[in-house]
Amino acid sequence: MTSTSGKVIVFDEIESTQLLAKEYIKQGKSTHGLVIQAKKQIQGEGRLDRRWASPSGGLWMSTILQKKIPLKYFQGFSVRIGLAISESLEELLQLPFRVKWPNDLFLKNKKVGGILIDLSSQDIFLKHLVLGIGLNVNFNLSSLPEELQKTATTIYNESGKEFSLDKIRDVIITTQRAIVLQFEKGLLPNITTLWKERSVSFDSTVKVRLKEKVIEGIEKGITLNGDLIIQTSEGEEIISVGEIEQVIGFED
């Protein structure tokens, strides 16, 4: 069963909002700003082809963006959108949301959500971008696989309250629109200071997984393009592709 409201299509249960959004694009059924939401996903997608546990009570959504915007503006897009969403959620829910590079949302030092981006281009311009967001909202931690329960959390677990998924979704949509509007105008606000305020790992020792190795060092912030700055024993490294897989000092 599906329901449609404006540019939002809500499904009771589907394989993956991200997969369906990409299928809509392939079939020529997509429009700019279309949001596909599922009450439950059977095979939610995460980064690096990981599965994303998506039980009922969470917010699982993908937004299709298709505007002719120079591709260069989308460097570090997941970092920018993650920061903006963490701020919006904190204001709405009055909870201390933080971010972990490149695209995780954290609450009280545990992962509560994530962002996934699939992008295609034509020449030097954006053609399509599918922005997937998964957020653990109104369910107990016990609904997640046991192997995730030490490192993940839910908004319900941390607050003891249930929140309107529609309100959270609409705030996220508004935040997304604001970021895209900045890009359309060629505006790229400096987010390096904001990152230091909202990063769970700033000035902490981290392990960063790259394609073929793991490096350890102190997170010193991000560049203007959203690349990660790590101070290692051998000097400073700028990382554009990878992920912080561990913050030393967090619970294992």
Side-chain angles (χ1 to χ4, degrees), residues 92 142 246:
L92 175 68
S142 58
Q246 185 181 1

Side-chain angles (χ1 to χ4, degrees), residues 127-174:
K127 187 176 182 182
H128 298 104
L129 186 148
V130 181
L131 173 58
I133 294 174
L135 192 64
N136 302 337
V137 187
N138 296 327
F139 58 86
N140 278 308
L141 193 57
S142 58
S143 297
L144 294 176
E146 189 174 348
E147 65 269 19
L148 298 179
Q149 292 179 19
K150 286 187 177 180
T151 57
T153 192
T154 75
I155 292 173
Y156 178 78
N157 255 74
E158 299 301 336
S159 67
K161 301 176 184 177
E162 291 193 359
F163 294 92
S164 165
L165 293 179
D166 288 351
K167 283 186 179 179
I168 295 174
R169 178 199 65 211
D170 291 347
V171 163
I172 288 174
I173 291 172
T174 299

Side-chain angles (χ1 to χ4, degrees), residues 172-232:
I172 288 174
I173 291 172
T174 299
T175 302
Q176 292 172 169
R177 286 175 180 162
I179 295 291
V180 173
L181 185 60
Q182 287 179 348
F183 285 13
E184 286 185 272
K185 293 179 177 179
L187 300 174
L188 291 174
N190 188 324
I191 56 173
T192 55
T193 299
L194 180 60
W195 179 267
K196 292 176 182 179
E197 295 171 358
R198 303 198 72 83
S199 169
V200 294
S201 58
F202 177 67
D203 251 351
S204 296
T205 300
V206 297
K207 290 184 178 180
V208 183
R209 178 163 294 280
L210 308 180
K211 188 175 181 180
E212 297 177 347
K213 63 178 180 178
V214 174
I215 66 170
E216 184 172 317
I218 299 172
E219 194 235 291
K220 303 306 290 184
I222 58 171
T223 68
L224 291 173
N225 288 331
D227 295 339
L228 185 67
I229 304 171
I230 296 292
Q231 185 68 45
T232 73

Side-chain angles (χ1 to χ4, degrees), residues 4-54:
T4 305
S5 175
K7 284 191 171 184
V8 179
I9 304 174
V10 183
F11 294 85
D12 284 340
E13 180 177 294
I14 57 174
E15 186 176 0
S16 158
T17 62
Q18 199 77 354
L19 287 175
L20 186 57
K22 288 186 282 188
E23 190 61 31
Y24 270 41
I25 291 170
K26 192 181 297 183
Q27 295 176 3
K29 295 163 60 176
S30 63
T31 57
H32 176 72
L34 178 66
V35 176
I36 296 173
Q37 180 183 347
K39 295 179 181 178
K40 181 180 180 180
Q41 294 184 117
I42 301 169
Q43 284 190 303
E45 285 193 78
R47 289 186 76 244
L48 307 176
D49 295 323
R50 298 183 183 121
R51 294 296 96 195
W52 183 280
S54 315

Side-chain angles (χ1 to χ4, degrees), residues 58-78:
L59 180 63
W60 323 118
M61 60 183 281
S62 295
T63 305
I64 298 172
L65 307 176
Q66 45 190 52
K67 287 265 187 174
K68 192 174 182 180
I69 300 173
L71 205 57
K72 64 182 180 181
Y73 293 152
F74 288 89
Q75 287 184 314
F77 179 66
S78 63

